Amino acid sequence: GQQLNQSPQSMFIQEGEDVSMNCTSSSIFNTWLWYKQDPGEGPVLLIALYKAGELTSNGRLTAQFGITRKDSFLNISASIPSDVGIYFCAGQLGIASKIIFGSGTRLSIRP
Amino acid sequence: DAGVTQSPTHLIKTRGQQVTLRCSPKSGHDTVSWYQQALGQGPQFIFQYYEEEERQRGNFPDRFSGHQFPNYSSELNVNALLLGDSALYLCASSRRDRGLLQPQHFGDGTRLSIL
């Protein structure tokens, strides 16, 4: 079945640094999504991407939908303590199809 | 405006028992999806309900079943519980807009522990 490879698995960075994480798939997706999950809570949608090549920002977050439709990346600029959490990429085939999630990137920040 | 609400928040069961989890979608949403999230992993799709019918299903056995009510709320039922069913069960709701499914919003989940 379809699988998403998300990397890195974990990151431990200094406050103020920029962060980059990415996701690759062996299959094409028509929608890429990035979620953040805090302990004890459900995933919260950060950015949704609908077109190959699309670059979308949400505050300090920027994500891109790869041209091949098999990859996506998320960048966080000038990280702050509240950025700590687990970030999931997710792909969706069709307009009403199921969402396939990556295994997550755990972000930890040194103050 | 309440988001997706799930109940209960925590539940402890023993092997072989049956469990029912509940989900109320975000106001204005008509589609409900259920996911299982094991510790340290991403959510895995179980099934999706729209217009009171199961529309899509992931790779889960028939022990997992569901229902959607006319008010769009939904239940997830799991029979003959196994130790491996211990997980966080997430409900996500969305709405169909001119045939397009809008991004899903997640509840905070039900933590199910099987002893």
Side-chain angles (χ1 to χ4, degrees), chain B residues 26-39:
Chain B
K26 182 178 168 68
S27 177
H29 286 187
D30 56 12
T31 302
V32 173
S33 300
W34 287 92
Y35 294 80
Q36 180 194 66
Q37 186 177 22
L39 202 60

Side-chain angles (χ1 to χ4, degrees), chain A residues 11-78:
Chain A
M11 302 181 73
F12 197 46
I13 64 170
Q14 198 80 29
E15 183 178 351
E17 286 183 353
D18 294 345
V19 172
S20 184
M21 59 190 79
N22 66 77
C23 208
T24 60
S25 169
S26 57
S27 306
I28 288 173
F29 286 107
N30 292 319
T31 300
W32 281 92
L33 307 163
W34 284 92
Y35 286 87
K36 178 175 183 270
Q37 187 173 26
D38 292 327
E41 298 182 12
V44 174
L45 182 67
L46 301 174
I47 293 179
L49 302 157
Y50 299 105
K51 291 182 184 178
E54 179 182 355
L55 185 72
T56 297
S57 293
N58 177 9
R60 294 178 296 106
L61 278 59
T62 302
Q64 184 158 30
F65 191 142
I67 290 291
T68 65
R69 291 195 284 160
K70 292 184 178 181
D71 63 310
S72 177
F73 73 75
L74 174 71
N75 288 337
I76 306 173
S77 63

